[in-house]
Amino acid sequence: MARLVLLLLALSLASCRVILDLEDEPAPPNPPVTPVRPVVPVPGPGTFTYRCTGGTLVVHYLDSNNLRLFYDGAFQNLSLLRRSPTLLYSGGTGGAYTWEWDGSWGSLSVRGQVVLRNCGL
C-alpha cells in the first residue's frame, strides 16, 4: 500500500513539474509590425467650405482629378498633380494657384506664397 501511495505521489509531483515548466517558458516574440501609410481620400464630387487662418475657402470638387475654387475675384480651375503623401492640386490663371489637402488640413498658395493655412472642414 505504501508503494502505491509513493507511486501516486511521484506521478502527481511529476505532472506538477511539467505544468510549472510550461508556465515558466517565455512567450514567443511578436513579429515586427510594418506601419501602413494611409492614403489620403480624394473628396468626392461636391462643394466643401473650409475655415482657414486668413479666411474661408469654398472648394467645388468636380471629380476625383479636378476642382474649382473662387479666389482673387475669379473662379480658378485646378487639376490633381499628386496623391501622396498629400493631395496636390495646381492650376488657375498662369498655374499660380496650389491647393494642398492631407485629409484633415489644407492650404492655398498663390504664386508660391501661402495665403490660407490650417484649412479644415
Side-chain angles (χ1 to χ4, degrees):
M1 178 78 168
R3 283 185 164 178
L4 180 59
V5 170
L6 286 175
L7 180 63
L8 288 174
L9 184 61
L11 288 174
S12 296
L13 290 175
S15 63
C16 287
R17 180 71 184 145
V18 170
I19 291 173
L20 290 175
D21 284 345
L22 289 177
E23 290 175 354
D24 291 341
E25 288 183 21
N30 291 330
V33 177
T34 304
V36 177
R37 176 178 226 135
V39 175
V40 178
V42 176
T47 302
F48 297 84
T49 301
Y50 297 93
R51 285 172 180 65
C52 314
T53 302
T56 300
L57 181 66
V58 177
V59 178
H60 179 72
Y61 293 91
L62 302 170
D63 55 39
S64 61
N65 293 313
N66 300 286
L67 63 82
R68 187 175 200 194
L69 54 86
F70 188 81
Y71 195 81
D72 280 345
F75 286 100
Q76 309 298 331
N77 294 310
L78 284 66
S79 298
L80 183 66
L81 296 181
R82 182 185 74 212
R83 291 185 186 269
S84 179
T86 60
L87 298 175
L88 179 68
Y89 294 86
S90 184
T93 306
Y97 298 87
T98 303
W99 170 245
E100 196 163 358
W101 175 250
D102 72 4
S104 299
W105 300 101
S107 64
L108 178 67
S109 299
V110 179
R111 292 179 240 347
Q113 185 76 18
V114 176
V115 293
L116 297 174
R117 64 175 38 91
N118 300 320
C119 300
L121 293 171

